[in-house]
Amino acid sequence: MLPFLLYSLILQSIYVVAQTKSTIAIGDSFTATTSTSPWLLSPSGDFAFGFLPLKETNLFLLSIWYAKISEKTIVWYANGDSPAPKGSKVVLTANDGLVLTSPNGVKLWNTQGLNAKVSRGVLNDTGNFVLQDGNFNSLWETFKFPSDTLLPSQVVDKGRKLSSRLKDTNFNKGRFELLLQNDGNLVMHSINLPSGYVNENYYESNTVGSSTSSAGAQLVFDRSGYLYILGENNEKYNVSEGVSKVSTTDFYLRATLNFDGVFILYKHPKSSTKSEGWTTVWSKPYNICIYTVSVGSGVCGYNSFCTLGDDKRPICQCPKGYSLIDPNDPYGSCKADFILGCEEDELKGAVDALVEGDNEALEDKEK
């Protein structure tokens, strides 16, 4: 009996280690399958790294997500513009870091900016995946290349930005950006797709520096849940001004630039496993519906109007007599359900001509 118990304990220990693997070595790989089991788990088990299937497709996203929430909440993703087909593989290499390839060997994505050989990859308890050299120095990390979300302890340097996804379930690059400019100003604006033309800002932190204050140097999301801009002389300019502290002991936190352009700090009780537990702590801007641009459409598409929901998110609607061009895109442009202007006059003229011609023909017949 004793040998059996010892054997069982050993098996359980092996299982736990396998389930909590947080480090990978050169040559380790992972394949996209229908299983949502992660490649890596952070030591605490709060974060997972691997492939997640995209809804109603046979495609996968290489991503990091909150692992203890039933509806997996993605906080970083690599290949939003090039989703991976089933059977795609990601491998850790010494020269190129992570390399994602399709089943037929086409490269879909890889890490950029490496200046030394990689020795290992580590997923830590902050949700940051780090590539390290032989001396455990960081060569590349997801915190330095964010997608649409920031996590506590994450820092954004000048020139770095968040890019929204295209839609809630479409991870292609979207229409909105949050950028810490080189002049120290934190801004949010829309971009016209596919040209990439940058529109006017709808949010500015006004931290470019003056005779009495230094310019912004970093956007900091600290462990206590505060988001602020750190000045070159260590001043702190609050982004989350007037908001009481949120305990990171009791809550998961994330600051996300949503696909509709609203930047929101969310909290989720750690005691709950339901995704509905995400609630808004604060949002920027106060009212995105008043945002107008000189080129292209605003938050909503052409011929539509914007109202603000209770959650400070925009609601786009077509006016009476109009309907969506794409019924599956509620934020898209609207088209008239009637004939406009000259076209209406031309059609009426054509109908009158036909009627008049028919009457003349009838008169001739009667004669």
Side-chain angles (χ1 to χ4, degrees):
M1 187 68 177
L2 185 58
F4 175 76
L5 289 174
L6 289 173
Y7 180 69
S8 298
L9 288 172
I10 291 171
L11 284 180
Q12 289 176 12
S13 299
I14 293 172
Y15 177 78
V16 170
V17 170
Q19 291 299 304
T20 57
K21 175 182 176 183
S22 59
T23 303
I24 52 174
I26 299 302
D28 285 356
S29 64
F30 192 63
T31 302
T33 66
T34 53
S35 170
T36 56
S37 297
W39 191 13
L40 299 174
L41 279 176
S42 63
S44 66
D46 285 340
F47 294 97
F49 181 35
F51 287 108
L52 281 181
L54 296 177
K55 291 182 179 180
E56 300 178 359
T57 71
N58 201 28
L59 300 172
F60 294 79
L61 200 65
L62 182 64
S63 53
I64 296 172
W65 64 90
Y66 273 110
K68 294 180 179 178
I69 299 174
S70 56
E71 183 68 28
K72 297 173 174 55
T73 304
I74 294 174
V75 297
W76 179 87
Y77 50 92
N79 58 316
D81 291 328
S82 303
K86 181 180 177 182
S88 296
K89 182 172 71 172
V90 59
V91 60
L92 182 63
T93 69
N95 293 324
D96 296 321
L98 291 175
V99 179
L100 174 62
T101 55
S102 67
N104 58 4
V106 175
K107 184 186 290 186
L108 301 175
W109 176 86
N110 68 279
T111 51
Q112 300 286 334
L114 295 173
N115 55 15
K117 286 188 178 296
V118 175
S119 290
R120 67 189 64 82
V122 180
L123 178 64
N124 61 41
D125 276 336
T126 61
N128 188 19
F129 176 76
V130 184
L131 296 181
Q132 299 176 340
D133 64 14
N135 294 319
F136 299 94
N137 297 311
S138 173
L139 300 175
W140 181 94
E141 53 189 85
T142 54
F143 270 19
K144 296 295 184 184
F145 296 89
S147 47
D148 63 356
T149 295
L150 299 178
L151 295 172
S153 76
Q154 191 163 357
V155 174
V156 178
D157 295 319
K158 288 182 180 180
R160 299 291 186 186
K161 63 185 177 182
L162 300 184
S163 294
S164 71
R165 57 188 79 168
L166 189 61
K167 298 179 184 178
D168 195 33
T169 56
N170 185 330
F171 292 83
N172 283 281
K173 184 178 179 180
R175 297 178 51 233
F176 299 92
E177 292 181 341
L178 179 150
L179 168 68
L180 184 60
Q181 296 179 159
N182 289 326
D183 62 4
N185 202 18
L186 180 70
V187 302
M188 285 186 271
H189 50 240
S190 66
I191 57 175
N192 294 342
L193 298 176
S195 68
Y197 178 84
V198 176
N199 291 306
E200 296 86 348
N201 298 328
Y202 59 85
Y203 171 85
E204 295 187 9
S205 63
N206 298 314
T207 50
V208 295
S210 66
S211 59
T212 58
S213 62
S214 64
Q218 292 179 319
L219 174 63
V220 180
F221 191 9
D222 71 17
R223 291 179 181 272
S224 64
Y226 278 114
L227 196 71
Y228 61 87
I229 297 165
L230 182 66
E232 293 171 347
N233 293 333
N234 291 323
E235 304 101 323
K236 291 183 179 180
Y237 310 107
N238 258 344
V239 176
S240 49
E241 184 177 356
V243 177
S244 60
K245 180 179 177 181
V246 180
S247 170
T248 52
T249 302
D250 300 323
F251 291 92
Y252 294 122
L253 297 176
R254 61 182 174 96
T256 298
L257 180 62
N258 290 284
F259 72 93
D260 53 20
V262 182
F263 184 52
I264 298 180
L265 175 64
Y266 293 99
K267 67 178 181 179
H268 188 295
K270 290 186 176 181
S271 59
S272 172
T273 57
K274 295 183 179 179
S275 194
E276 293 76 24
W278 288 109
T279 55
T280 298
V281 179
W282 55 257
S283 64
K284 303 280 184 180
Y286 177 75
N287 184 356
I288 199 169
C289 284
I290 63 176
Y291 176 47
T292 58
V293 296
S294 56
V295 178
S297 66
V299 177
C300 302
Y302 293 106
N303 298 325
S304 64
F305 64 93
C306 177
T307 56
L308 208 62
D310 294 336
D311 58 356
K312 303 296 183 183
R313 304 280 297 275
I315 301 170
C316 298
Q317 296 174 289
C318 296
K320 186 177 180 179
Y322 287 72
S323 60
L324 287 167
I325 294 175
D326 179 1
N328 296 317
D329 182 11
Y331 293 83
S333 299
C334 303
K335 61 179 176 63
D337 295 329
F338 52 89
I339 299 173
L340 297 171
C342 297
E343 291 184 17
E344 184 177 23
D345 294 339
E346 289 174 2
L347 181 60
K348 184 177 184 300
V351 172
D352 290 344
L354 287 172
V355 170
E356 185 177 348
D358 287 343
N359 288 338
E360 289 177 355
L362 182 60
E363 290 175 1
D364 291 341
K365 187 176 182 181
E366 288 176 348
K367 290 179 181 178

